[in-house]
Amino acid sequence: MDTSDPVPFRPHVAGTQPPYDAPPYRSTGLRHPALPVVPLPHTVTETTGPRFSPAQFPAVADISVVDGRQAVGERIIVEGHVTDEDGRPVPHTMLEIWQANAAGRYAHPGDQHDAPLDGNFRGTGRVFTDAAGKYRFVSIKPGAYPWRNHPNAWRPNHIHFSLFGPGFASRLITQMYFPGDPLLALDPIYNCIPDAGARARLISHFDIGITQPEWALGYRFDIVLRGRGATPVQTPDEHEEAH
Amino acid sequence: MPIATASQTIGPYWHLLEDKSWADALRFGAEGERIAVSGRIVDGAGAPVADACVEIWQSDPPASDSFPGFARAATDKDGVFRLVTLKPGPVRGRGNATQAPHLAVAIFARGLLRHLVTRLYFAGEPLNETDPLLSFIAPDRRGTLIARPDGAGAWRLDIVLQGADETVFLDV
């Protein structure tokens, strides 16, 4: 029987994650813990996590089309690599994505923004990284939309991403932004991340190499999940991506 | 060295992802002791958190093709989530410790720039007395992690995001 402790994920680098209490983002006011969070040394509960296979959860890699009909908007290809903090690819891991349509409206009953829905756009997809940690999907560039956080508040264009990675402690939900968006400087959700470099890494890069001639603009968005332990050289670990 | 990507809120429209069948970890035919787990999430004003995403993960029983070990549910208009899974058994802790049966719980919502992590233990488990995490938490707050029986095979754990009776959240 294996009696060694599981290799924990490393703590986040200071300033690179947003705080729970962030007054400029009003909804944090009554939802952040007022008491300190309790440190938990990682056990098998934290170092392992769910596995999702495309056989059980089929990929939906082109969300610009519904039943063969094109959504309205600027077609885009989003591509990138998922690695850990040691630069190792995270292969065969699931990414869930969701976003507003080109007019800045979600196909969600809670979104009452006065902008048109698009019957050919649901705005939700699922893709898996390949053996090298690479993912790719096709979509429509999402529009900006107003929200009521403060007077004249608008969210910058963004796509939501959800990843699991190798353990429950590597779970990540984030947002990908677009280069050159003037709303980023005004957005509390983006600016609540203290570290400027960490903020900038949420902005995708236009990439002519991903761009497909006569068809769609390409953006690159690389994602980094937490690395493990202080000892990069470790014994084979059955919790690494096995399938 | 690369640095882990920053978290951002799941926002109010995450239900676009939701597949309601995911609330039932037994949907692939797993056999064992079925349990239903529910709870109500409230904010610092006692108002229901009606747009949260609640996920559970357990390393016991081990995940397999018939048992994902994972489930996800939305809270309803009253802030209530409902999940179905298998009753976990004890799992090994660090060193030679034994952890009492528990579920890992992650809470995502508008207003949470990072998700909250907590655990759900089960009232009446003898191992609760020696569980490393429960033992570390002040006795007056320990109960915020321990679900109570709520009918046959059903357990209930309410979650308070802020204020008096605030749930113990974990830095993982």
Side-chain angles (χ1 to χ4, degrees):
Chain A
M1 182 183 159
D2 178 16
T3 55
S4 62
D5 284 329
V7 180
F9 289 96
R10 287 200 286 275
H12 286 292
V13 175
T16 62
Q17 294 291 329
Y20 287 115
D21 182 15
Y25 175 24
R26 219 175 47 180
S27 293
T28 65
L30 288 170
R31 292 185 166 192
H32 73 269
L35 298 170
V37 293
V38 173
L40 175 65
H42 291 179
T43 72
V44 67
T45 304
E46 288 72 39
T47 60
T48 61
R51 292 281 174 270
F52 301 89
S53 75
Q56 239 171 347
F57 304 98
V60 179
D62 184 349
I63 64 175
S64 73
V65 174
V66 171
D67 297 333
R69 294 188 303 272
Q70 286 286 337
V72 171
E74 181 182 325
R75 191 185 295 114
I76 59 173
I77 299 164
V78 180
E79 185 180 301
H81 283 84
V82 182
T83 59
D84 67 16
E85 289 176 300
D86 297 308
R88 293 180 297 202
V90 181
H92 311 302
T93 200
M94 182 175 73
L95 296 88
E96 300 169 291
I97 48 182
W98 72 104
Q99 62 168 90
N101 69 18
R105 176 101 181 251
Y106 287 87
H108 184 290
D111 186 357
Q112 295 299 312
H113 174 35
D114 181 18
L117 286 165
D118 180 346
N120 297 333
F121 191 74
R122 297 194 184 110
T124 178
R126 175 193 294 141
V127 291
F128 294 81
T129 56
D130 66 14
K134 181 179 161 186
Y135 75 90
R136 179 182 188 274
F137 65 90
V138 176
S139 187
I140 292 294
K141 188 171 182 184
Y145 57 85
W147 59 313
R148 293 179 180 157
N149 185 71
H150 57 275
N152 208 9
W154 292 77
R155 289 303 325 280
N157 306 332
H158 63 276
I159 298 176
H160 297 265
F161 279 68
S162 158
L163 294 90
F164 287 82
F168 208 51
S170 62
R171 185 85 175 88
L172 173 71
I173 287 185
T174 190
Q175 300 180 24
M176 177 198 110
Y177 300 100
F178 289 84
D181 190 333
L183 293 171
L184 282 167
L186 304 172
D187 183 52
I189 291 177
Y190 173 73
N191 286 294
C192 284
I193 303 163
D195 183 79
R199 286 199 297 275
R201 288 191 289 275
L202 294 185
I203 303 173
S204 58
H205 297 272
F206 171 70
D207 190 327
I208 194 69
I210 296 171
T211 297
Q212 205 161 310
E214 317 294 328
W215 197 67
L217 294 180
Y219 290 88
R220 174 170 301 285
F221 183 56
D222 293 325
I223 297 166
V224 181
L225 300 179
R226 296 172 74 178
R228 289 224 210 180
T231 47
V233 181
Q234 54 192 266
T235 53
D237 183 339
E238 75 273 24
H239 306 304
E240 294 292 335
E241 301 286 345
H243 52 268
Chain B
M1 289 292 254
I3 294 173
T5 301
S7 173
Q8 295 274 266
T9 181
I10 199 170
Y13 305 130
W14 71 270
H15 306 87
L16 290 178
L17 286 187
E18 190 188 7
D19 177 338
K20 290 186 191 301
S21 75
W22 284 37
D24 183 356
L26 307 190
R27 66 193 186 282
F28 299 115
E31 293 182 2
E33 185 184 345
R34 177 192 192 274
I35 56 169
V37 174
S38 68
R40 182 169 182 257
I41 306 181
V42 297
D43 69 13
V49 175
D51 54 8
C53 169
V54 178
E55 294 180 350
I56 55 171
W57 162 248
Q58 61 199 91
S59 55
D60 183 85
S64 67
D65 286 345
S66 67
F67 181 61
F70 171 84
R72 171 191 283 167
T75 52
D76 65 16
K77 63 177 174 31
D78 300 316
V80 174
F81 62 90
R82 297 173 194 284
L83 298 155
V84 171
T85 187
L86 293 177
K87 179 85 187 295
V91 295
R92 202 165 64 81
R94 298 191 73 78
N96 282 320
T98 299
Q99 302 188 84
H102 64 274
L103 306 174
V105 180
I107 299 166
F108 305 82
R110 169 180 62 86
L112 291 176
L113 287 159
R114 302 168 68 173
H115 61 282
L116 291 168
V117 175
T118 185
R119 279 187 176 186
L120 183 153
Y121 288 86
F122 299 88
E125 288 282 349
L127 284 168
N128 287 348
E129 304 304 320
T130 51
D131 179 84
L133 173 63
L134 288 178
S135 305
F136 180 74
I137 293 167
D140 63 325
R141 298 193 69 205
R142 210 171 279 164
T144 68
L145 301 183
I146 302 176
R148 305 285 156 191
D150 187 31
W155 296 86
R156 170 100 180 190
L157 182 67
D158 293 334
I159 292 172
V160 179
L161 297 188
Q162 185 188 89
D165 305 319
E166 184 174 305
T167 294
V168 170
F169 295 106
L170 304 171
D171 179 8
V172 297

